[in-house]
Amino acid sequence: MEHAPWSQKGHPFAAYWNLGCAEANAAFAHLIKQLLRETRGRCVLQLAGDPSAYVFLPVEGWLMTAKVDPDGARQIVDFALPGDVLDPASASMAYAAADVVTLGRGRLAMIPREGWQRYLVAHPSAAGLFARQSAARYARMAERMLRLGKSSGETRIAYAICELFLRANPFGLVTHTPFHLPVTQQVLGEFVGLSSVHVNRTIRAMARAGVLTYRGQLDVVIHDLPTLAAMAQIDPTELQATIIPSPG
Amino acid sequence: MEHAPWSQKGHPFAAYWNLGCAEANAAFAHLIKQLLRETRGRCVLQLAGDPSAYVFLPVEGWLMTAKVDPDGARQIVDFALPGDVLDPASASMAYAAADVVTLGRGRLAMIPREGWQRYLVAHPSAAGLFARQSAARYARMAERMLRLGKSSGETRIAYAICELFLRANPFGLVTHTPFHLPVTQQVLGEFVGLSSVHVNRTIRAMARAGVLTYRGQLDVVIHDLPTLAAMAQIDPTELQATIIPSPG
DNA sequence: CGGCAGTTTGATGCCCGTCAATAGTGGTGG
DNA sequence: CCACCACTATTGACGGGCATCAAACTGCCG
């Protein structure tokens, strides 16, 4: 994650989106070339209920999809990391089901939906990758709904850390490796359905218990993976197979 | 919902799955003809983590996808109604992300995934309908995650009733029309993340307030739709456009 | 008619939200 | 370079919503 894969020769974005087919890769590069865009801070790219004209591809930095209730409380529905394709369409396809917001600075491509669909039809290997990503998103959301509905705050937070660690780190859940989440405790709370106060108390208790260490704006190091996995009620290997799509 | 659309002439299932193209309809009929199956009671068709070989099409009665945590608590992830296509695959596509369970007696088709995918490739209109259904499922899950994370038990239950009413009733959210949910209070609790005791107290309070009436095994009649919609924090028309895919 | 699954109601306790106040952090401009 | 400010993190006190346990009641099916 240190430098943009963008700078690589040949097919930009190749680290994340490799179809094993030179022509499909070239078509993909052509598709996003003109559509790159820089972002800084937290900025809203799409509002729920507005016309949904674009598919979003983060290249650097994360996006999130969120919904806001009438009281102003926000629930984060999912994150999109580099290599993911985010289509916020609702059942009607013409309007968005959720807000799309950037997290900090980064780079992304916004592709008109028609262009994206033409690309998928023309390149079955891309359609296959997209299908695996959709299945992965479904599996993630199912896993999180289980925690949201039935589990304690501790379990929800431990699970969220495991999920995001797995998604952001190609080596999976490893100990003693620092890793950065571009996420405040407030945002983590909006992800797991807890107040930022309770997130703080819980994560702090985990740190005191020696399970992990962290610094503000969430640079996390896992120390005791078995305990963390037990808190999250997961098997690391199994979870990885369930929620991480195979590339290419 | 009284009699199976199955009994109709021509293309069985036509009431739910009409592609506006005779050939695609015929191919669909051929696809599921041999694969029909009766169900009774609550029976498990697929376990999370097992190989995921089939796509499920309920024809009569409902299915649910659910996940169970180590303590035995169950969270229902989504329901599948007649006309929906349920693919429980996880990121790896080879294994299921969740259990698939029937609710009471009914009829369904189980289609091997390869056959289903060949059908989608051969009939773009079917692929389009499937895409709209996937978007609808995403919108539903997002909407429910918002309630699960941020809302009171009353809001969650009111929302669940509105969602299921909308999905099961082609005329949308209408008052003074009895409608049947094949769901116990226990199951409703597993859907909205509440204990069956609390579901009972809440729904009973709604009945005392004159918002709705119901009888055991949930035959519901809505009396005061504005109040119910306010409890659920929805706009009925908007919600329908968001979570109900257009047929055909 | 007995049994079983579902519904209803009460009593008790705790997890977690809310309010409030303090301390830390980074970014910006003078 | 430092002062300032907005944002974030931390900690305490208090109350309420919901889980849990337990016990009757209902209706249905064999």
Side-chain angles (χ1 to χ4, degrees):
Chain A
M1 300 298 123
E2 285 313 296
H3 62 286
W6 212 241
S7 57
Q8 297 174 3
K9 289 286 281 183
H11 170 227
F13 206 60
Y16 304 124
W17 189 270
N18 188 343
L19 302 169
C21 154
E23 195 221 338
N25 284 343
F28 183 81
H30 179 73
L31 187 65
I32 69 174
K33 197 182 305 178
Q34 314 297 339
L35 300 166
L36 267 186
R37 181 174 158 174
E38 304 261 335
T39 66
R40 60 187 59 242
R42 205 164 293 165
C43 84
V44 178
L45 302 175
Q46 168 82 65
L47 279 174
D50 280 0
S52 172
Y54 297 100
V55 170
F56 301 88
L57 280 81
V59 171
E60 204 184 332
W62 300 12
L63 303 179
M64 63 187 195
T65 52
K67 289 190 72 79
V68 179
D69 80 3
D71 312 328
R74 183 166 64 178
Q75 173 69 43
I76 295 173
V77 174
D78 199 19
F79 290 106
L81 273 61
D84 294 335
V85 178
L86 169 54
D87 182 350
S90 68
S92 75
M93 301 306 272
Y95 297 92
D99 299 343
V100 176
V101 183
T102 62
L103 282 161
R105 65 191 57 203
R107 234 179 253 180
L108 71 117
M110 292 171 57
I111 303 183
R113 175 166 297 108
E114 308 78 49
W116 176 248
Q117 274 167 1
R118 276 197 307 274
Y119 172 70
L120 288 186
V121 170
H123 300 282
S125 61
L129 177 47
F130 185 59
R132 286 198 298 284
Q133 287 199 4
S134 298
R137 182 176 73 171
Y138 172 68
R140 287 195 303 267
M141 288 175 69
E143 208 72 51
R144 245 179 289 122
M145 288 180 79
L146 172 61
R147 308 297 188 295
L148 226 38
K150 300 293 175 192
S151 297
S152 69
E154 184 185 76
T155 297
R156 294 188 218 174
I157 291 174
Y159 174 79
I161 291 172
C162 290
E163 180 192 317
L164 297 178
F165 204 127
L166 270 177
R167 293 182 68 190
N169 192 324
F171 304 111
L173 272 174
V174 291
T175 57
H176 307 295
T177 304
F179 114 104
H180 178 72
L181 302 169
V183 156
T184 65
Q185 294 180 6
Q186 169 75 32
V187 169
L188 190 55
E190 290 170 350
F191 187 49
V192 299
L194 295 171
S195 69
S196 65
V197 173
H198 204 72
V199 169
N200 182 283
R201 280 194 236 274
T202 307
I203 203 172
R204 184 140 275 262
M206 288 164 65
R208 264 197 301 273
V211 175
L212 52 76
T213 48
Y214 72 98
R215 295 175 327 172
Q217 287 284 342
L218 291 199
D219 287 293
V220 178
V221 182
I222 297 174
H223 294 295
D224 182 353
L225 181 56
T227 304
L228 182 66
M231 282 176 172
Q233 303 184 338
I234 60 159
D235 171 335
T237 310
E238 200 178 318
L239 183 66
Q240 180 159 15
T242 305
I243 68 170
I244 309 293
S246 58
Chain B
M1 300 301 121
E2 284 311 298
H3 62 286
W6 211 242
S7 57
Q8 298 173 4
K9 288 286 281 183
H11 170 226
F13 206 61
Y16 304 123
W17 189 270
N18 187 343
L19 301 168
C21 156
E23 195 221 339
N25 284 342
F28 183 82
H30 179 72
L31 186 65
I32 68 174
K33 196 182 306 182
Q34 314 298 338
L35 301 165
L36 268 186
R37 179 172 159 178
E38 304 262 336
T39 66
R40 59 189 60 242
R42 204 163 294 167
C43 84
V44 178
L45 303 174
Q46 168 82 65
L47 280 174
D50 281 0
S52 172
Y54 297 101
V55 171
F56 301 89
L57 281 80
V59 170
E60 204 185 331
W62 298 13
L63 302 179
M64 63 187 196
T65 52
K67 291 190 68 81
V68 179
D69 80 3
D71 313 328
R74 182 167 64 177
Q75 174 70 42
I76 295 174
V77 174
D78 198 19
F79 290 107
L81 273 62
D84 293 335
V85 178
L86 168 53
D87 183 349
S90 69
S92 75
M93 300 306 274
Y95 297 91
D99 300 343
V100 176
V101 183
T102 63
L103 281 161
R105 65 192 57 202
R107 238 180 250 178
L108 71 115
M110 292 172 59
I111 303 182
R113 175 168 294 111
E114 308 79 48
W116 177 248
Q117 274 167 0
R118 275 197 308 272
Y119 172 70
L120 287 185
V121 170
H123 301 281
S125 61
L129 177 46
F130 185 59
R132 284 199 298 285
Q133 287 199 4
S134 298
R137 182 176 72 172
Y138 171 68
R140 286 195 303 267
M141 287 174 70
E143 208 72 49
R144 244 179 288 123
M145 287 179 80
L146 172 61
R147 308 300 189 292
L148 271 181
K150 298 295 176 191
S151 298
S152 68
E154 184 184 76
T155 297
R156 294 189 219 173
I157 291 174
Y159 174 80
I161 291 172
C162 290
E163 180 192 317
L164 297 178
F165 204 127
L166 271 176
R167 294 182 67 191
N169 192 324
F171 303 111
L173 272 174
V174 291
T175 57
H176 306 298
T177 304
F179 114 104
H180 179 71
L181 302 169
V183 157
T184 66
Q185 294 180 7
Q186 169 74 32
V187 169
L188 189 55
E190 289 170 351
F191 186 49
V192 297
L194 295 171
S195 68
S196 65
V197 172
H198 204 73
V199 168
N200 182 279
R201 280 193 236 275
T202 306
I203 202 172
R204 182 141 275 261
M206 289 163 63
R208 265 196 300 273
V211 174
L212 51 76
T213 46
Y214 72 98
R215 294 176 326 173
Q217 284 285 340
L218 289 203
D219 287 294
V220 179
V221 181
I222 298 175
H223 293 296
D224 182 352
L225 180 56
T227 304
L228 182 66
M231 283 176 171
Q233 302 185 337
I234 61 159
D235 170 337
T237 310
E238 200 179 317
L239 184 64
Q240 181 161 13
T242 305
I243 68 171
I244 308 293
S246 59

